[in-house]
Amino acid sequence: MLTRRLLLTTSAIGIAAAATLRWWSAPPHAAENFEVTHTEDKWRKLLTRDQFAVLRQSATERPGSSPLLYEKRRGNFACAGCDQELFSSATKFESGTGWPSFWAPIEKAVGTTQDSSFGMMRTAVRCSRCGGHLGHVFNDGPKPTGLRYCINGLALTFKPATA
Ligand SMILES: [Zn+2]
């Protein structure tokens, strides 16, 4: 038996590395380690259908649809997926966009990734604890940061200050 066999190997690494966030794409969080992780089935049980679409599939709610647009009390806005507090009412402002808007997150509460969906380069904002998609951040916000965190109300719950 002198037949020489040629072994070919293929690699999917290039394909995986080229993956970008897209509308209704598979969750981009799978390869990362977050403090709070669940299977897709578990997330579907924990969240409403609309919350799941935003937090786990990066959907965007209809502008003007969130009751949190009109939330004026002092307190913190927390992640609807894992309860981590993300934004203080002290940084909330009326942006006129129809989405709850903030000029800064609570320290270390959010992370960002580049999002090229819809042919736009945007910076997506995610909860640092569970990786849930929250919205996007833009550079046209008010002082002191000049940032506008444009957040889906569906991704948030409000906790009024007790003191
Ligand atoms: Zn979270």
Side-chain angles (χ1 to χ4, degrees):
M1 286 288 286
L2 295 172
T3 309
R4 194 163 58 124
R5 301 175 81 185
L6 180 63
L7 297 176
L8 295 174
T9 58
T10 58
S11 170
I13 291 170
I15 296 165
T20 53
L21 274 171
R22 290 197 191 286
W23 186 248
W24 301 120
S25 65
H29 326 296
E32 298 172 55
N33 292 316
F34 290 103
E35 186 185 333
V36 172
T37 58
H38 297 299
T39 62
E40 182 177 327
D41 280 353
K42 180 77 183 294
W43 278 122
R44 285 188 189 277
K45 289 191 179 81
L46 290 171
L47 304 170
T48 66
R49 194 179 52 119
D50 289 344
Q51 285 175 329
F52 182 87
V54 171
L55 284 164
R56 309 313 307 176
Q57 297 179 308
S58 302
T60 297
E61 72 192 12
R62 193 164 44 80
S65 63
S66 175
L68 292 181
L69 282 169
Y70 313 106
E71 181 55 68
K72 307 281 191 215
R73 290 174 289 172
R74 276 195 317 120
N76 286 335
F77 295 82
C79 175
C82 74
D83 220 29
Q84 170 165 258
E85 297 191 353
L86 304 173
F87 296 96
S88 162
S89 60
T91 64
K92 191 172 189 282
F93 69 100
E94 179 47 66
S95 64
T97 59
W99 289 285
S101 300
F102 305 86
W103 48 260
I106 290 171
E107 197 176 352
K108 294 188 170 66
V110 307
T112 58
T113 54
Q114 291 308 306
D115 174 3
S116 61
S117 61
F118 297 103
M120 295 178 276
M121 271 316 284
R122 294 180 296 172
T123 302
V125 179
R126 296 190 296 172
C127 172
S128 66
R129 188 159 179 250
C130 72
H133 173 82
L134 306 171
H136 292 89
V137 58
F138 302 93
N139 290 320
D140 57 5
K143 290 177 180 176
T145 62
L147 297 175
R148 171 170 61 91
Y149 286 81
C150 184
I151 305 299
N152 291 282
L154 281 167
L156 302 173
T157 59
F158 180 67
K159 301 179 172 193
T162 48

Coordinates of all heavy atoms in Angstrom, one line a residue, residues 92-140:
K92 N -31.3 61.4 32.3 CA -32.3 61.3 31.3 C -32.7 62.6 30.7 O -32.7 63.6 31.4 CB -33.6 60.7 31.9 CG -34.7 60.2 30.9 CD -35.8 59.4 31.7 CE -36.8 58.8 30.8 NZ -37.7 59.7 30.2
F93 N -33.0 62.7 29.4 CA -33.4 63.9 28.8 C -34.4 63.7 27.6 O -34.5 62.5 27.1 CB -32.2 64.8 28.3 CG -31.5 64.2 27.1 CD1 -31.7 64.6 25.8 CD2 -30.6 63.1 27.2 CE1 -31.1 64.1 24.7 CE2 -29.9 62.6 26.1 CZ -30.1 63.1 24.9
E94 N -35.1 64.7 27.3 CA -36.1 64.6 26.2 C -35.4 64.8 24.9 O -35.0 66.0 24.6 CB -37.3 65.5 26.4 CG -38.3 65.5 25.3 CD -38.7 64.0 25.0 OE1 -39.3 63.4 25.8 OE2 -38.4 63.6 23.8
S95 N -35.2 63.8 24.1 CA -34.4 64.0 22.8 C -35.3 64.3 21.6 O -34.9 64.7 20.6 CB -33.6 62.7 22.5 OG -34.6 61.6 22.3
G96 N -36.6 64.0 21.8 CA -37.6 64.2 20.7 C -37.6 63.1 19.7 O -38.2 63.2 18.7
T97 N -36.8 62.0 20.0 CA -36.7 60.9 19.0 C -37.9 59.9 19.2 O -38.1 59.1 18.3 CB -35.4 60.1 19.2 OG1 -35.4 59.6 20.6 CG2 -34.2 61.0 19.0
G98 N -38.5 59.9 20.4 CA -39.5 58.9 20.6 C -38.9 57.7 21.4 O -39.7 56.7 21.6
W99 N -37.7 57.7 21.7 CA -37.0 56.7 22.6 C -36.5 57.3 23.8 O -35.9 58.4 23.8 CB -35.9 55.9 21.8 CG -36.4 55.1 20.7 CD1 -37.0 53.8 20.8 CD2 -36.3 55.3 19.3 NE1 -37.3 53.4 19.6 CE2 -36.9 54.2 18.6 CE3 -35.9 56.4 18.5 CZ2 -37.0 54.2 17.2 CZ3 -35.9 56.3 17.2 CH2 -36.5 55.2 16.5
P100 N -36.6 56.6 24.9 CA -35.9 57.1 26.2 C -34.5 57.4 25.9 O -33.8 56.5 25.3 CB -36.1 55.9 27.2 CG -37.3 55.2 26.7 CD -37.3 55.3 25.2
S101 N -34.0 58.5 26.3 CA -32.6 59.0 26.0 C -31.9 59.4 27.3 O -32.5 60.1 28.1 CB -32.7 60.1 25.0 OG -33.4 59.7 23.8
F102 N -30.6 59.1 27.3 CA -29.8 59.4 28.4 C -28.4 59.9 27.9 O -28.0 59.5 26.8 CB -29.5 58.1 29.3 CG -30.8 57.4 29.7 CD1 -31.4 56.5 28.9 CD2 -31.3 57.7 30.9 CE1 -32.6 55.9 29.3 CE2 -32.5 57.1 31.3 CZ -33.1 56.1 30.5
W103 N -27.8 60.8 28.7 CA -26.5 61.3 28.2 C -25.3 60.5 28.8 O -24.1 60.8 28.5 CB -26.3 62.8 28.3 CG -26.7 63.5 29.6 CD1 -27.9 64.1 29.9 CD2 -25.9 63.6 30.8 NE1 -27.8 64.6 31.2 CE2 -26.7 64.3 31.8 CE3 -24.6 63.1 31.2 CZ2 -26.2 64.5 33.1 CZ3 -24.1 63.4 32.5 CH2 -24.9 64.1 33.4
A104 N -25.6 59.6 29.7 CA -24.5 58.8 30.3 C -25.1 57.5 30.9 O -26.2 57.6 31.5 CB -23.6 59.5 31.3
P105 N -24.4 56.4 30.9 CA -24.9 55.2 31.6 C -24.3 55.2 33.0 O -23.3 56.0 33.3 CB -24.3 54.1 30.8 CG -23.0 54.6 30.2 CD -23.2 56.1 30.0
I106 N -24.8 54.4 33.9 CA -24.1 54.1 35.2 C -22.8 53.4 34.9 O -22.7 52.6 34.0 CB -25.0 53.3 36.1 CG1 -26.3 54.1 36.5 CG2 -24.3 52.7 37.3 CD1 -27.3 53.3 37.2
E107 N -21.8 53.8 35.6 CA -20.4 53.3 35.4 C -20.4 51.8 35.2 O -20.9 51.0 36.0 CB -19.5 53.7 36.5 CG -18.0 53.6 36.1 CD -17.1 54.2 37.2 OE1 -17.6 54.7 38.2 OE2 -15.9 54.0 37.1
K108 N -19.7 51.3 34.1 CA -19.5 49.9 33.9 C -20.8 49.1 33.6 O -20.7 47.9 33.5 CB -18.7 49.2 35.0 CG -17.3 49.7 35.2 CD -16.5 48.8 36.2 CE -15.1 49.1 36.2 NZ -14.8 50.5 36.7
A109 N -21.9 49.8 33.5 CA -23.2 49.0 33.3 C -23.4 48.6 31.9 O -24.2 47.7 31.6 CB -24.3 49.9 33.8
V110 N -22.8 49.3 30.9 CA -23.1 49.0 29.5 C -21.8 48.8 28.7 O -20.7 49.3 29.1 CB -24.0 50.0 28.8 CG1 -25.2 50.3 29.6 CG2 -23.2 51.3 28.5
G111 N -21.9 48.0 27.7 CA -20.7 47.9 26.7 C -21.2 48.2 25.3 O -22.5 48.3 25.1
T112 N -20.3 48.4 24.4 CA -20.7 48.8 23.1 C -20.1 47.9 22.0 O -19.0 47.3 22.2 CB -20.4 50.3 22.7 OG1 -19.0 50.4 22.9 CG2 -21.1 51.2 23.6
T113 N -20.8 47.7 20.9 CA -20.2 47.0 19.8 C -20.6 47.8 18.5 O -21.6 48.5 18.5 CB -20.8 45.6 19.7 OG1 -22.2 45.7 19.6 CG2 -20.4 44.7 20.8
Q114 N -19.8 47.6 17.4 CA -20.2 48.2 16.2 C -21.3 47.4 15.5 O -21.3 46.2 15.5 CB -18.9 48.3 15.3 CG -17.9 49.3 15.8 CD -18.4 50.6 16.1 OE1 -19.1 51.3 15.2 NE2 -18.2 51.1 17.3
D115 N -22.2 48.1 15.0 CA -23.4 47.5 14.3 C -23.6 48.1 12.9 O -23.7 49.3 12.8 CB -24.6 47.9 15.2 CG -25.9 47.5 14.6 OD1 -25.9 46.8 13.5 OD2 -27.0 47.8 15.2
S116 N -23.4 47.2 11.9 CA -23.5 47.7 10.5 C -24.8 47.4 9.9 O -24.9 47.4 8.6 CB -22.3 47.1 9.7 OG -22.4 45.7 9.7
S117 N -25.8 47.0 10.7 CA -27.1 46.7 10.1 C -27.8 47.9 9.4 O -27.5 49.0 9.7 CB -28.1 46.1 11.1 OG -28.3 47.0 12.1
F118 N -28.7 47.7 8.5 CA -29.4 48.7 7.7 C -28.4 49.6 6.9 O -28.8 50.8 6.6 CB -30.3 49.6 8.7 CG -31.3 48.8 9.3 CD1 -31.2 48.4 10.7 CD2 -32.5 48.4 8.7 CE1 -32.2 47.6 11.3 CE2 -33.5 47.7 9.3 CZ -33.3 47.3 10.6
G119 N -27.2 49.2 6.6 CA -26.3 50.0 5.8 C -25.8 51.2 6.6 O -25.2 52.1 6.0
M120 N -25.9 51.2 7.9 CA -25.4 52.3 8.7 C -24.3 51.8 9.7 O -24.4 50.7 10.1 CB -26.5 52.9 9.5 CG -27.6 53.6 8.8 SD -28.9 54.2 9.9 CE -29.9 52.7 10.1
M121 N -23.3 52.6 9.9 CA -22.4 52.2 11.0 C -22.9 52.9 12.3 O -22.9 54.1 12.4 CB -21.0 52.7 10.7 CG -20.2 51.7 9.9 SD -20.3 50.0 10.5 CE -19.2 50.1 11.9
R122 N -23.3 52.1 13.2 CA -23.8 52.6 14.5 C -23.1 51.9 15.6 O -22.5 50.8 15.4 CB -25.3 52.4 14.6 CG -26.1 53.3 13.6 CD -27.6 53.0 13.7 NE -28.0 51.6 13.5 CZ -29.2 51.1 13.7 NH1 -30.1 51.9 14.2 NH2 -29.5 49.9 13.4
T123 N -23.2 52.5 16.8 CA -22.6 51.8 18.0 C -23.7 51.3 18.8 O -24.5 52.1 19.4 CB -21.7 52.8 18.8 OG1 -20.7 53.3 17.9 CG2 -21.1 52.1 19.9
A124 N -23.8 50.0 18.9 CA -24.9 49.3 19.7 C -24.5 49.3 21.1 O -23.3 49.2 21.5 CB -25.1 47.9 19.2
V125 N -25.5 49.4 22.0 CA -25.3 49.5 23.5 C -25.9 48.2 24.1 O -27.0 47.9 23.8 CB -25.9 50.7 24.1 CG1 -25.7 50.7 25.6 CG2 -25.3 52.0 23.5
R126 N -25.1 47.5 24.9 CA -25.6 46.3 25.5 C -25.4 46.3 27.0 O -24.5 47.0 27.5 CB -24.8 45.1 24.9 CG -25.1 44.9 23.5 CD -24.6 43.6 23.0 NE -23.1 43.5 23.1 CZ -22.4 42.4 22.9 NH1 -23.0 41.3 22.6 NH2 -21.1 42.4 23.0
C127 N -26.2 45.6 27.7 CA -26.0 45.4 29.2 C -24.7 44.6 29.4 O -24.5 43.6 28.8 CB -27.2 44.7 29.7 SG -27.0 44.2 31.5
S128 N -23.9 45.1 30.3 CA -22.6 44.5 30.6 C -22.8 43.2 31.4 O -21.8 42.4 31.5 CB -21.6 45.4 31.3 OG -22.1 45.7 32.6
R129 N -23.9 43.0 32.0 CA -24.1 41.8 32.8 C -24.7 40.6 32.1 O -24.3 39.5 32.3 CB -25.0 42.2 34.0 CG -25.2 41.1 35.1 CD -25.6 41.7 36.4 NE -25.8 40.7 37.4 CZ -27.0 40.3 37.9 NH1 -28.1 40.9 37.5 NH2 -27.0 39.4 38.8
C130 N -25.7 40.9 31.2 CA -26.3 39.8 30.4 C -26.1 39.9 28.9 O -26.5 39.0 28.2 CB -27.8 39.7 30.8 SG -28.8 41.0 30.1
G131 N -25.5 40.9 28.5 CA -25.3 41.1 27.0 C -26.5 41.5 26.2 O -26.5 41.6 25.0
G132 N -27.6 41.8 27.0 CA -28.9 42.2 26.3 C -28.7 43.5 25.5 O -28.1 44.4 25.9
H133 N -29.3 43.5 24.3 CA -29.2 44.7 23.4 C -30.2 45.7 24.0 O -31.3 45.5 24.3 CB -29.7 44.3 22.0 CG -29.8 45.5 21.1 ND1 -28.7 46.1 20.5 CD2 -30.9 46.2 20.8 CE1 -29.1 47.1 19.8 NE2 -30.4 47.3 19.9
L134 N -29.6 46.9 24.1 CA -30.4 48.0 24.7 C -30.8 49.1 23.7 O -32.0 49.6 23.7 CB -29.6 48.7 25.8 CG -29.1 47.8 27.0 CD1 -28.1 48.6 27.9 CD2 -30.2 47.2 27.7
G135 N -29.9 49.4 22.8 CA -30.2 50.5 21.8 C -28.9 50.9 21.2 O -28.0 50.1 21.0
H136 N -28.7 52.2 20.9 CA -27.5 52.7 20.3 C -27.1 54.0 21.0 O -27.9 54.6 21.6 CB -27.8 53.0 18.8 CG -28.0 51.7 18.0 ND1 -29.2 51.2 17.8 CD2 -27.1 50.9 17.3 CE1 -29.2 50.0 17.1 NE2 -27.9 49.8 16.8
V137 N -25.8 54.3 20.8 CA -25.3 55.6 21.3 C -24.8 56.5 20.1 O -24.2 56.0 19.2 CB -24.2 55.4 22.4 CG1 -23.0 54.6 21.8 CG2 -23.8 56.7 23.0
F138 N -25.1 57.8 20.2 CA -24.8 58.7 19.1 C -24.0 59.9 19.7 O -24.1 60.1 20.9 CB -26.1 59.2 18.4 CG -26.9 58.1 17.8 CD1 -27.9 57.5 18.5 CD2 -26.6 57.6 16.5 CE1 -28.6 56.5 18.0 CE2 -27.3 56.6 16.0 CZ -28.4 56.0 16.7
N139 N -23.4 60.7 18.9 CA -22.5 61.8 19.3 C -23.3 63.1 19.3 O -22.6 64.2 19.4 CB -21.3 61.9 18.4 CG -20.3 60.7 18.7 OD1 -20.1 60.3 19.8 ND2 -19.8 60.2 17.6
D140 N -24.6 63.1 19.3 CA -25.3 64.4 19.2 C -26.1 64.7 20.4 O -27.1 65.3 20.4 CB -26.2 64.4 17.9 CG -27.2 63.2 17.9 OD1 -27.2 62.5 18.9 OD2 -27.9 63.1 16.9

